[in-house]
Amino acid sequence: MKLKYLILGGFVTVGTFSCTKLDQKLQNSFTANPSSTGAVDVNALLNATYNDLTGLMHSQDQIFSLEQNTSDETLVPTRGGDWDDNGVWRVLHSHSWTAIHGQTISVFNNLGQLESDAITTLAYNPSQQQAAEAMFLRSVAQFYLLDLYGQVPYREVAKYNSIDPAPVYQPADAVKNLVSTLTSIIPQLPASNAPYKASPDAARFLLMKVLLNKGAFINRAAPTFDPADMAQVISLGNQIINSGNYSLSTEYFDNFSPFNSSRSTERIWAWHNTGASQAPDGINSGGINARWMMTLHYNSWDKNNSYGGAGWNGFSTVADFYNTFEGHGDGTPNTVIDTTKDSRLGGRYYAGVTDQSGLRPGLLAGQQYNENGVAEVDRHGNALKFSPNVSLVETDPNTLEIDGIRIVKYAPDYSAYSGGQQRNQLQIFRYADVLLMVAEAKLRSGDAAGALLLVNQLRLARNASPIVSLTTDILLAERGRELYWESWRRQDLIRFGVYLKPWALKPTDDPKYLLFPIPSSQLIANPNLKQNPGY
């Protein structure tokens, strides 16, 4: 494939993008690049496209950062000299980033690479199944480009290697294209692909997301919800629910543990990690360790000479989010979690984890203990008591290492803690989200009773008390409790119309932050892209 590369600050900026035109059908005949010679391994091209997702989905500074650190449940405070990085982390939570923010540039470029590789696969005579999988992956790239940047560069398959400026979908056409494509590929995808590759239910799930967010994608300042779209969300969700292929896991953290490949019953699309660098089907392992390294303290584990290197001591949450859980303590250093309440809060013994390190997955507040019940300390000898008190810039040496309640959703795989290949499989699309999306569509369609039944079904499975009524505010809070740190929060806040409201450590806001800036290198390479307002 011919690409126009611009090397800027270590990032590869893809100057051309590829995807099908708006009315293209899956059954179109794809022809190979006429300039190519010799046989082309289409399956290798497809695997390379899947592997484009490895960093995008797993790394702490990619999609996770843009969707989570800009929300009301995640922040990365500067701790003395740690986690400053010229302020790139704290400006996300406070909504004060600029057009040169490195993460917004990198994610745009990497999504472009994913889209480009998907269309390259389509250009080399794929089988019907391979084409459907490539179109699913292209749709994933376009979905996130639309969600994060509001513009979707695209190219027809026949012009996949053109150096001419790529056309750009604006939101309404991007949504239309996504709906058309995802609807067309559902019958072409094999159910046997689940949960590691594009499957009918993965396509249904993504289509639900598109339809649910359609009004927000088109008008972020005042999202609307078409009754026909809500009806389709309900229909698609019921197909998944009634399939009998999924159920709510009895133990919440089984969905995220090193054992989730056998214990989770909620995986619609997951990234399989086998403990090896590559699975038999050619898909790479994902390096899930960032999910615990980015938040745990340096001294959170002292086995195998790891003392002082057990974590990066950065990512935290705020007291306001912690306090939304039933059973939370008061957040003080001596806090006690009521473990008879909402299991999503954590605080419970988890075999294979607590006995190895003392860690109890979930939201970590108060004194931390090792596997022998001995109280842990920070690098200054202070008690390692995670506190709800946190600032964007921590300066007090006696508290800067312990301020901020921590989150450990993916319990560490102690067989490959900070290096090697972890066995935890990243949950990309999860069954609990299907229930919540159907509940939201019902609520927005006037069926509050039907929505309440689904939410209470979920709460019962999580050992939380049933609620007696449901509003959009309550539903948004429930999505936070169930899906925290799963890279949906920013999108949810925008759809529910509260993203611009003040929250802890973000007192004011500007509507321009509803979208991220288009990288300047992309604006130069493609004049069809226009910088988003305010940048």
Side-chain angles (χ1 to χ4, degrees):
M1 179 180 180
K2 298 178 181 177
L3 293 175
K4 182 179 179 182
Y5 289 109
L6 300 177
I7 309 301
L8 295 173
F11 295 112
V12 177
T13 302
V14 180
T16 59
F17 293 81
S18 306
C19 74
T20 59
K21 61 184 178 181
L22 186 61
D23 60 352
Q24 184 173 13
K25 303 299 183 183
L26 173 65
Q27 293 79 13
N28 277 6
S29 173
F30 298 109
T31 58
N33 176 5
S35 66
S36 67
T37 59
V40 174
D41 187 344
V42 177
N43 196 59
L45 292 175
L46 183 60
N47 282 346
T49 307
Y50 275 107
N51 285 327
D52 285 338
L53 285 163
T54 308
L56 273 166
M57 292 297 183
H58 289 82
S59 296
Q60 73 276 6
D61 60 355
Q62 293 289 294
I63 287 174
F64 178 92
S65 184
L66 297 191
E67 296 284 10
Q68 285 298 143
N69 288 326
T70 57
S71 79
D72 59 350
E73 64 183 34
T74 314
L75 75 155
V76 188
T78 294
R79 302 180 186 277
D82 291 345
W83 292 102
D84 182 58
D85 299 327
N86 296 316
V88 297
W89 299 101
R90 62 178 181 267
V91 298
L92 292 173
H93 182 83
S94 63
H95 290 194
S96 55
W97 62 83
T98 68
I100 60 171
H101 194 282
Q103 292 177 17
T104 68
I105 295 169
S106 177
V107 171
F108 189 98
N109 296 339
N110 290 336
L111 288 170
Q113 187 68 63
L114 172 62
E115 186 183 30
S116 182
D117 285 350
I119 202 63
T120 301
T121 304
L122 291 171
Y124 279 92
N125 276 330
S127 68
Q128 186 176 68
Q129 177 182 325
Q130 289 170 329
E133 291 186 47
M135 294 180 80
F136 172 80
L137 294 171
R138 186 215 63 190
S139 294
V140 170
Q142 291 190 337
F143 173 78
Y144 281 110
L145 284 167
L146 175 60
D147 174 35
L148 298 169
Y149 303 94
Q151 299 175 58
V152 180
Y154 72 97
R155 199 177 294 283
E156 298 176 19
V157 172
K159 298 180 180 179
Y160 83 101
N161 60 350
S162 171
I163 62 172
D164 293 334
V168 175
Y169 285 141
Q170 295 306 310
D173 280 343
V175 168
K176 185 178 179 181
N177 181 62
L178 284 166
V179 171
S180 175
T181 299
L182 291 167
T183 300
S184 71
I185 66 176
I186 289 172
Q188 311 298 335
L189 292 168
S192 60
N193 265 5
Y196 303 125
K197 290 189 173 183
S199 67
D201 285 343
R204 290 186 182 101
F205 185 105
L206 185 56
L207 182 53
M208 291 173 71
K209 286 287 184 185
V210 172
L211 292 167
L212 198 59
N213 287 283
K214 174 182 172 181
F217 288 158
I218 294 173
N219 185 357
R220 292 166 192 263
T224 57
F225 302 91
D226 188 320
D229 294 332
M230 297 304 100
Q232 193 172 354
V233 169
I234 294 168
S235 175
L236 290 163
N238 283 338
Q239 291 176 57
I240 296 174
I241 293 168
N242 296 331
S243 70
N245 294 328
Y246 315 95
S247 61
L248 293 170
S249 296
T250 303
E251 165 57 59
Y252 180 67
F253 291 102
D254 280 352
N255 290 308
F256 313 101
S257 78
F259 326 109
N260 62 352
S261 63
S262 59
R263 295 183 183 178
S264 176
T265 56
E266 301 186 28
R267 297 173 303 152
I268 294 175
W269 186 27
W271 196 269
H272 60 173
N273 291 334
T274 63
S277 61
Q278 191 176 83
D281 60 7
I283 305 301
N284 294 336
S285 290
I288 195 69
N289 61 312
R291 287 298 193 276
W292 58 77
M293 295 295 292
M294 67 189 188
T295 186
L296 286 176
H297 188 269
Y298 315 102
N299 296 349
S300 290
W301 191 43
D302 59 6
K303 280 191 175 181
N304 301 322
N305 299 316
S306 66
Y307 195 84
W312 303 332
N313 199 41
F315 290 56
S316 303
T317 189
V318 295
D320 288 348
F321 177 66
Y322 175 78
N323 291 338
T324 67
F325 288 83
E326 183 182 15
H328 69 82
D330 59 11
T332 67
N334 298 312
T335 192
V336 176
I337 292 174
D338 185 349
T339 56
T340 67
K341 302 297 184 181
D342 196 332
S343 62
R344 299 169 295 191
L345 175 61
R348 293 167 170 78
Y349 180 95
Y350 193 85
V353 175
T354 311
D355 54 311
Q356 293 291 313
S357 69
L359 183 67
R360 296 170 183 259
L363 279 72
L364 310 183
Q367 177 66 54
Q368 303 300 297
Y369 299 89
N370 71 11
E371 66 277 10
N372 297 314
V374 177
E376 295 174 330
V377 297
D378 70 9
R379 294 184 299 179
H380 300 282
N382 301 308
L384 190 58
K385 296 181 178 181
F386 293 136
S387 165
N389 302 317
V390 66
S391 301
L392 289 176
V393 179
E394 292 284 340
T395 58
D396 186 341
N398 292 312
T399 60
L400 64 82
E401 290 190 7
I402 60 176
D403 277 354
I405 294 170
R406 311 305 167 83
I407 289 178
V408 174
K409 194 157 194 176
Y410 283 86
D413 179 359
Y414 292 103
S415 70
Y417 185 84
S418 61
Q421 302 299 324
Q422 295 77 36
R423 295 166 295 171
N424 311 63
Q425 298 183 353
L426 180 69
Q427 296 273 19
I428 304 175
F429 296 165
R430 189 161 65 85
Y431 177 65
D433 199 355
V434 172
L435 297 181
L436 289 171
M437 285 193 286
V438 173
E440 182 178 341
K442 285 178 176 286
L443 183 63
R444 295 191 187 281
S445 301
D447 183 7
L452 183 62
L453 283 174
L454 287 170
V455 171
N456 277 333
Q457 175 187 337
L458 178 63
R459 289 181 62 81
L460 177 64
R462 307 311 188 209
N463 207 39
S465 302
I467 55 178
V468 297
S469 62
L470 190 65
T471 65
T472 54
D473 287 344
I474 293 173
L475 183 56
L476 177 61
E478 191 65 27
R479 287 190 60 83
R481 288 184 287 267
E482 178 63 31
L483 301 169
Y484 65 88
W485 281 34
E486 293 186 52
S487 303
W488 296 118
R489 188 59 174 175
R490 167 192 166 276
Q491 187 182 106
D492 288 349
L493 293 170
I494 292 174
R495 186 174 70 255
F496 280 79
V498 297
Y499 182 73
L500 297 178
K501 290 185 176 181
W503 58 59
L505 305 178
K506 191 203 75 169
T508 61
D509 213 334
D510 186 315
K512 76 178 185 180
Y513 294 117
L514 289 165
L515 288 169
F516 291 106
I518 306 297
S520 59
S521 58
Q522 297 289 354
L523 296 172
I524 294 170
N526 186 355
N528 293 321
L529 287 164
K530 305 299 180 186
Q531 185 57 278
N532 285 319
Y535 296 105

